[in-house]
Amino acid sequence: MADFGLAVHHTSLSVADLDAQQAWYQRVLGLTTVVERFQLDEPAVRTVVLRSGSGVRLELIERAGAARERPFADPLDAAATLGFGHWALSVRDLDASYAAITAAGAASVWPPADAVEPGARFAYVKDPEGNLIELIQPPA
């Protein structure tokens, strides 16, 4: 197999309200740097790429008329639909991160628990538009 030098460049998330979601991700997850913005008139699309101090990039895309096929109750429900079901973020302190993110408007989906990987822990939340985010605290 070829070594392509793969690394995650960014994750793309389709949103209903670009301005509100941008403000939430900047305030709550620290994705404060705006890397780029783009706009099309036809079809009506606006995008912004945000970056955290650690280099995590998230592209938010708003397209007029876009609709969610159906909301996901949790990650297992999301797996019943093909495509991406959630995005996962590594955190240093799961309990503190989970508490801060839910206090800032994220809905609790699954509270912090032990993960399959020994020593790791995880939790799930939903952003204000219902997109699933997994928080993972790797083993010490």
Side-chain angles (χ1 to χ4, degrees), residues 119-133:
R121 299 181 68 231
F122 76 104
Y124 280 89
V125 299
K126 286 185 180 181
D127 74 11
E129 288 192 3
N131 299 298
L132 286 167
I133 304 169

Side-chain angles (χ1 to χ4, degrees), residues 36-96:
E36 68 182 41
R37 292 183 185 278
F38 180 73
Q39 184 168 340
L40 285 175
D41 293 329
E42 191 56 41
V45 173
R46 296 187 312 144
T47 72
V48 63
V49 177
L50 305 173
R51 186 179 66 227
S52 73
S54 65
V56 172
R57 290 179 181 222
L58 176 65
E59 178 182 26
L60 301 174
I61 302 174
E62 175 193 83
R63 180 174 174 163
R68 185 181 307 276
E69 188 172 313
R70 69 179 185 84
F72 301 136
D74 57 42
L76 297 177
D77 186 34
T81 301
L82 297 177
F84 291 102
H86 71 274
W87 67 302
L89 299 170
S90 179
V91 297
R92 283 187 301 274
D93 183 332
L94 179 64
D95 294 315

Side-chain angles (χ1 to χ4, degrees), residues 35 97 107:
V35 176
S97 300

Side-chain angles (χ1 to χ4, degrees), residues 75 94 98 110-116 120-124 134-138:
L94 179 64
Y98 178 83
W110 286 356
D114 291 338
V116 174
R121 299 181 68 231
F122 76 104
Y124 280 89
E134 182 179 9
L135 305 172
I136 300 174
Q137 179 180 316

